[in-house]
Amino acid sequence: MKTDIHPEYVECAVHCSCGNEFTTRSTVPSLRVELCSECHPFYTGKQKLVDTGGRVERFQRRLAKSDAAKTAPKSAKAKAPAEA
């Protein structure tokens, strides 16, 4: 690596809008963030599943139909072409 071209890597104080403060290391001495691991919905378990246009229900119907087709007796499928 070349010398004197890299920024200093210092201890950094991070301040979240929720009031949480912690330290880490960065090239800047202080950071202000909107979300942290204490208030982000994904990490707190308060995340809501956004269902756009019934996609979840449609997927569950297709999955149920697929499972039903897999568990159907194969003998009924084999007889149908032979009788025709």
Side-chain angles (χ1 to χ4, degrees):
M1 288 194 314
K2 294 184 180 182
T3 58
D4 299 328
I5 65 166
H6 300 287
E8 280 293 315
Y9 193 62
V10 296
E11 193 165 302
C12 173
V14 181
H15 305 278
C16 180
S17 62
C18 71
N20 187 27
E21 296 181 7
F22 57 94
T23 58
T24 186
R25 293 183 52 93
S26 178
T27 57
V28 293
S30 177
L31 286 174
R32 296 206 174 266
V33 295
E34 294 179 17
L35 293 172
C36 66
S37 62
E38 296 294 320
C39 62
H40 194 281
F42 181 77
Y43 298 112
T44 60
K46 297 178 182 176
Q47 183 177 17
K48 295 180 181 178
L49 179 63
V50 178
D51 184 15
T52 307
R55 290 177 185 252
V56 173
E57 287 82 13
R58 187 172 58 188
F59 172 76
Q60 289 174 344
R61 283 193 308 255
R62 282 191 357 230
L63 183 64
K65 192 183 295 186
S66 172
D67 288 342
K70 287 180 184 177
T71 58
K74 293 183 180 183
S75 60
K77 288 182 180 179
K79 289 181 183 178
E83 293 174 6

